[in-house]
Amino acid sequence: MTEIKRITTKKISLPLKTPFKTAKHTVTSADAILIGIETNNNVGYGAATPNLVVTGDTLFSIDNIITTVLAPRLIGQSLSDWHYIDSIIQKTVQYNSSAKAGLEIAFHNLLANELSLPLVTILGGKRQPVVTDYTVSISSAEKNGD
């Protein structure tokens, strides 16, 4: 199987139609680091979103940990050893959960593209409910569209 040739990062910002408010902060745009992991034939994309008041991550810290610490360890790795790649992402540094999540998303997207398989197959083979949470804005019901 092919190997990782390049990892790119790019700051993106998408304005929100309505500010999202919590007790800790108000968000007016969705800012993220777009991550691309490339082989000779394919690219996989992921995004890492900062939340200083919750995770301690910033756009700068996410970009910095990816470009200076994680990318150099990942470039040249064979996609066939995906457990080792995941280990590099998860164990090279502590914390930095946003950077790790964005890289993991990009890697799984790349792996699915390389194998010409749907991502659901790579992640377990069948559609299943996903348990998650949802943070509700403390704006008024009228502003939230309710």
Side-chain angles (χ1 to χ4, degrees), residues 2-121:
T2 58
E3 63 183 43
I4 296 172
K5 298 291 184 186
R6 188 171 110 149
I7 297 176
T8 59
T9 60
K10 177 183 178 183
K11 179 184 172 188
I12 58 173
S13 182
L14 304 169
L16 300 178
K17 286 184 179 180
T18 305
F20 181 81
K21 296 180 182 183
T22 69
K24 294 187 175 190
H25 65 314
T26 299
V27 178
T28 58
S29 65
D31 299 326
I33 298 293
L34 179 65
I35 304 160
I37 302 180
E38 302 174 28
T39 64
N40 285 335
N41 303 313
N42 283 297
V43 62
Y45 292 104
T49 56
N51 193 328
L52 183 63
V53 299
V54 176
T55 64
D57 297 315
T58 66
L59 287 171
F60 176 79
S61 70
I62 292 168
D63 187 59
N64 189 53
I65 204 71
I66 291 171
T67 58
T68 65
V69 177
L70 295 167
R73 301 244 0 240
L74 293 168
I75 293 171
Q77 297 298 326
S78 171
L79 296 187
S80 63
D81 197 358
W82 61 273
H83 284 292
Y84 183 64
I85 290 173
D86 186 56
S87 176
I88 291 171
I89 293 170
Q90 294 304 321
K91 296 179 180 177
T92 298
V93 296
Q94 286 189 323
Y95 312 113
N96 295 284
S97 57
S98 297
K100 292 177 186 181
L103 274 169
E104 208 168 64
I105 293 165
F107 174 66
H108 284 101
N109 181 238
L110 173 62
L111 194 57
N113 292 340
E114 281 283 329
L115 297 172
S116 298
L117 292 170
L119 184 58
V120 67
T121 302

